[in-house]
Every structure is written in structure tokens, then in C-alpha cells.
Amino acid sequence: MTRRQLTDEQWQLIEPFLPIGEYGPYPERLREQFEGVIWRFRTSSQWREMPGEFGPWPTVYGRFRVWRDAGVFTVLLEGVIAEAARQGKTDLSLVSVDSTTARAHHDAAGM
């Protein structure tokens, strides 16, 4: 029995952002692999500790690396924000911008 991390509605929003390569993942395992990535970061566990229900951990880790390197998570975040805005569920009062100023040594400027 698979522990679902995502509702079907959430998955319908996420799935179009996940590329399916020439050699996989097989579409029927795509959700399990993505949920394996979620499990890994929610639990702060090591990849090797991943339950088998998400597939072999090296496969899930490899899929994560492909998605990370392709910028999938950045595009997914932007897509989720755009969908929330479309539904009127964004609250810009929650946006936080932080900056820090640090003085550099005068040699850092090439003096």
C-alpha cells in the first residue's frame, strides 16, 4: 500500500511540469518517484533509507538529479504560484525580502 503524499488534485497540478524522458520514468511510476523525493525532504532521511514503495532509491535519486538540473523545481514553483494567483489565493502581505550588508576589505575592491 502506497502512502500518498499528494492529493489527486495536487498531482494534477504537478504532473505536467515533470518531463518524461526517452528512457523513462514510466508514467505509472512518475508519481511514486516524485512522492519519494517529497518523502526524502520531509523526513530529512538519507536516500538509502527510502521505503521501497517509491521505487529503488537510486532511481528516485537519479530522477531528482535530472529534475533539479533541468530546473523543474523552479518552473514548478512558478507554476504553482501562478495557479494560486489565478484562483485568487495569493497573499502578497506574506512576502518577505531580507538583505544583509557586509563591508568588504579594501583589497576586495582591487585597491
Side-chain angles (χ1 to χ4, degrees):
M1 184 170 135
T2 301
R3 289 178 274 177
R4 288 283 181 215
Q5 307 265 339
L6 301 168
T7 66
D8 289 339
E9 183 181 341
Q10 290 169 329
W11 178 243
Q12 287 176 355
L13 178 63
I14 292 168
E15 185 179 23
F17 291 95
L18 302 178
I20 299 173
E22 183 178 343
Y23 301 106
Y26 299 109
E28 65 269 9
R29 297 292 297 169
L30 189 65
R31 183 171 180 167
E32 285 81 10
Q33 292 173 355
F34 187 81
E35 290 184 347
V37 172
I38 292 172
W39 176 90
R40 190 313 193 170
F41 288 102
R42 272 196 183 152
T43 63
S44 299
S45 299
Q46 296 192 9
W47 290 102
R48 292 178 185 269
E49 298 171 349
M50 180 176 295
E53 68 195 57
F54 300 116
W57 75 264
T59 302
V60 178
Y61 173 65
R63 189 65 51 208
F64 163 73
R65 288 182 54 205
V66 167
W67 289 335
R68 179 200 62 200
D69 295 346
V72 167
F73 297 106
T74 301
V75 173
L76 176 59
L77 178 62
E78 291 169 355
V80 169
I81 291 169
E83 179 61 21
R86 189 186 70 72
Q87 294 178 11
K89 295 181 178 179
T90 54
D91 183 358
L92 296 180
S93 69
L94 300 175
V95 174
S96 174
V97 177
D98 185 24
S99 68
T100 303
T101 303
R103 291 182 65 95
H105 189 273
H106 68 275
D107 287 341
M111 296 282 176

